[in-house]
C-alpha cells in the first residue's frame, strides 16, 4: 500500500542560498522554498499551471529537434519543474507527494512490460504494442470495478486543444453524431460566430459594437471556444488537420513579421519606431516576397 494511509506533508523549504546539487530531494526543498517566499509561485494552483505544462512539452519537442544538448537539458528541466511544482501543491493539500507519483510510475512500467519482467515472450515491437493496449484495457476494467465507469470519449489521448477537438469530433462521428457533409459544419460555424458577436456587444450602450464588458468575459470565452470547435469541425470535414493548418499559419506569421523587422533594420529603424501603416505595407511586401521564393 502507498503511504497515503499516513498524513502527507509537503517537503521542508531549503534554507539559505541553495546549491545546484543534482539531487531530487534538494530540488523538492527548493520548490518548497519558492512556494513559501515567491509571490508568483505562491499564488499558482494546479489548474493555473496547465498551460505552462503544455507549453513546456512543446518546447522540449523543439529542443529535441534542434539536437542542442544545452537546450535539451534546459527544456527537460522545465518539464521536470512542472512535475515538481504540481507534486508540491498536492502535498500541501495532503493528497499525495513525489514518492507516490514515482511509485505509481514504477508499478505501471513493471505491469505493462511482462515480456521484460515476467515469462512472456513477444517477438517484435508490434506485439509489444498490442500487449500494452491489452494491459491498459485490463487497467480500465479495474478502474470501472472501483466505480469509475468508462465513457466512450474518455480514453482519447491528451494533446493541444485543436488536436483534442478534432479527435473528439472524429470519434463522435464514428458513433453517428455528425453532419453528412461540410455544409452543416459551416452552418454551425456561422451560428457560433453570431453568438460570439452578440456576447461582445455591450447591450447597455446604444449603437454599441464590440464594446467588451468584463462582466460577461466568461460567456465570451465560452462562445469563442465554440467558434474554435466549430472551425475545427470544418477542417475535419474537408480532411485537413486543424493543428497542422494552425501551425502553418503561425510559421507564416512569424516569417512575415520577421521580414518586417529585417526591412526596418535595413532602413535603420526598430519595430518600436514604426507604426501600423508602415508595418502593414511591409506585411504586403512580405507576401509578395513569398511568391517569389
Amino acid at each position: 500500500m502507498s503511504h497515503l494511509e499516513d498524513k502527507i506533508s509537503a517537503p521542508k523549504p531549503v534554507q539559505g542560498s541553495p546549491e545546484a546539487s543534482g539531487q531530487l530531494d534538494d530540488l523538492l526543498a527548493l520548490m518548497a522554498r519558492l512556494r513559501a517566499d515567491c509571490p508568483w509561485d505562491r499564488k499558482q494552483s494546479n489548474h493555473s499551471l496547465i498551460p505552462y505544462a503544455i507549453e513546456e512539452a512543446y518546447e522540449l519537442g523543439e529542443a529535441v529537434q534542434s539536437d542542442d544538448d544545452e537546450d535539451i537539458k534546459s527544456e527537460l528541466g522545465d518539464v521536470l519543474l512542472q512535475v515538481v511544482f504540481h507534486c508540491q501543491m498536492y502535498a500541501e493539500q495532503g493528497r499525495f507527494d513525489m514518492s507516490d507519483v514515482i511509485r505509481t510510475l514504477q508499478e505501471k512500467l513493471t505491469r505493462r512490460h511482462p515480456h521484460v519482467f515476467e515469462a512472456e515472450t513477444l517477438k517484435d515491437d508490434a506485439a509489444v504494442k498490442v500487449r500494452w493496449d491489452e494491459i491498459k484495457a485490463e487497467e480500465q476494467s479495474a478502474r470501472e470495478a472501483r466505480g469509475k465507469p468508462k465513457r466512450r470519449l474518455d480514453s482519447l489521448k491528451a494533446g493541444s486543444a485543436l488536436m483534442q477537438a478534432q479527435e473528439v469530433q472524429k470519434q463522435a462521428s464514428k458513433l453517428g453524431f455528425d453532419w453528412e457533409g461540410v455544409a452543416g459544419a459551416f452552418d454551425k460555424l456561422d451560428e457560433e460566430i453570431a453568438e460570439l458577436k452578440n456576447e461582445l456587444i455591450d447591450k447597455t450602450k446604444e449603437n454599441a459594437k464590440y464594446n467588451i464588458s468584463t462582466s460577461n468575459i466568461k460567456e465570451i470565452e465560452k462562445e469563442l471556444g465554440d467558434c474554435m470547435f466549430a472551425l475545427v469541425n470544418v477542417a475535419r470535414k474537408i480532411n485537413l488537420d486543424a493543428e497542422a493548418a494552425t501551425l502553418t499559419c503561425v510559421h507564416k506569421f512569424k516569417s512575415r513579421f520577421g521580414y518586417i523587422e529585417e526591412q526596418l533594420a535595413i532602413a535603420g529603424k526598430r519595430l518600436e519606431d514604426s507604426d501600423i501603416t508602415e508595418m502593414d505595407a511591409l506585411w504586403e511586401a512580405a507576401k509578395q516576397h513569398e511568391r517569389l521564393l
Side-chain angles (χ1 to χ4, degrees):
M1 292 292 289
S2 162
H3 70 90
L4 282 172
E5 295 173 343
D6 303 323
K7 182 177 176 59
I8 298 295
S9 59
K12 294 181 179 180
V14 65
Q15 301 300 312
S17 182
E19 295 183 2
S21 67
Q23 301 301 309
L24 179 58
D25 285 346
D26 292 338
L27 176 59
L28 296 176
L30 172 57
M31 187 69 249
R33 174 73 178 278
L34 295 177
R35 279 285 288 174
D37 293 345
C38 174
W40 188 89
D41 289 298
R42 190 165 56 242
K43 78 172 186 177
Q44 299 310 309
S45 68
N46 294 106
H47 283 88
S48 72
L49 287 184
I50 291 173
Y52 298 102
I54 296 170
E55 177 183 329
E56 299 301 353
Y58 276 108
E59 291 184 359
L60 172 59
E62 291 181 4
V64 171
Q65 291 288 345
S66 74
D67 203 28
D68 183 292
D69 285 359
E70 292 305 312
D71 283 347
I72 295 171
K73 285 190 293 184
S74 177
E75 296 304 336
L76 280 170
D78 289 344
V79 172
L80 178 58
L81 168 61
Q82 294 303 309
V83 177
V84 170
F85 210 150
H86 278 281
C87 285
Q88 171 67 27
M89 288 188 287
Y90 282 120
E92 292 169 1
Q93 299 162 33
R95 296 170 64 177
F96 57 82
D97 60 17
M98 176 64 81
S99 64
D100 292 297
V101 173
I102 294 174
R103 185 180 298 106
T104 299
L105 175 58
Q106 289 170 322
E107 291 171 349
K108 181 189 294 184
L109 290 176
T110 303
R111 184 172 62 251
R112 293 188 179 180
H113 291 82
H115 54 289
V116 175
F117 302 107
E118 298 176 19
E120 287 192 15
T121 301
L122 302 175
K123 63 181 181 179
D124 53 30
D125 61 335
V128 170
K129 178 63 170 62
V130 170
R131 186 68 181 109
W132 180 281
D133 290 339
E134 290 174 351
I135 295 170
K136 287 179 64 177
E138 293 168 3
E139 293 170 353
Q140 178 58 41
S141 296
R143 283 192 291 270
E144 292 176 11
R146 296 197 306 268
K148 293 186 176 181
K150 177 183 177 181
R151 296 179 296 183
R152 299 298 287 271
L153 300 181
D154 285 349
S155 61
L156 299 180
K157 289 186 178 294
S160 72
L162 291 178
M163 293 165 65
Q164 290 190 62
Q166 191 147 354
E167 186 62 22
V168 163
Q169 294 168 2
K170 178 181 176 181
Q171 296 302 321
S173 177
K174 290 180 179 179
L175 299 171
F177 193 74
D178 197 4
W179 290 282
E180 289 188 4
V182 71
F186 270 117
D187 289 343
K188 186 62 176 176
L189 176 60
D190 292 340
E191 174 189 324
E192 298 297 354
I193 290 175
E195 291 179 3
L196 173 62
K197 288 181 177 180
N198 185 60
E199 286 296 335
L200 285 170
I201 297 174
D202 189 339
K203 303 174 182 62
T204 65
K205 299 178 182 178
E206 289 189 26
N207 302 317
K209 187 175 184 180
Y210 307 151
N211 289 313
I212 301 175
S213 170
T214 55
S215 63
N216 69 329
I217 196 67
K218 286 296 183 182
E219 289 302 317
I220 293 172
E221 181 183 51
K222 290 178 183 177
E223 296 300 342
L224 180 62
D226 289 344
C227 289
M228 300 293 290
F229 194 82
L231 186 57
V232 169
N233 219 356
V234 172
R236 181 181 61 85
K237 297 297 287 186
I238 58 178
N239 297 316
L240 286 177
D241 183 275
E243 181 80 9
T246 306
L247 284 173
T248 296
C249 180
V250 170
H251 290 308
K252 179 173 63 178
F253 186 93
K254 289 167 67 175
S255 175
R256 291 178 181 176
F257 202 80
Y259 180 87
I260 293 173
E261 191 170 9
E262 290 168 1
Q263 294 304 306
L264 287 173
I266 291 172
K269 299 177 67 175
R270 302 179 306 157
L271 287 166
E272 293 81 359
D273 301 325
S274 185
D275 57 29
I276 186 61
T277 300
E278 183 176 24
M279 286 193 283
D280 194 49
L282 287 172
W283 179 271
E284 293 301 319
K287 291 165 65 176
Q288 294 295 327
H289 179 72
E290 286 174 2
R291 297 188 181 101
L292 298 176
L293 296 179

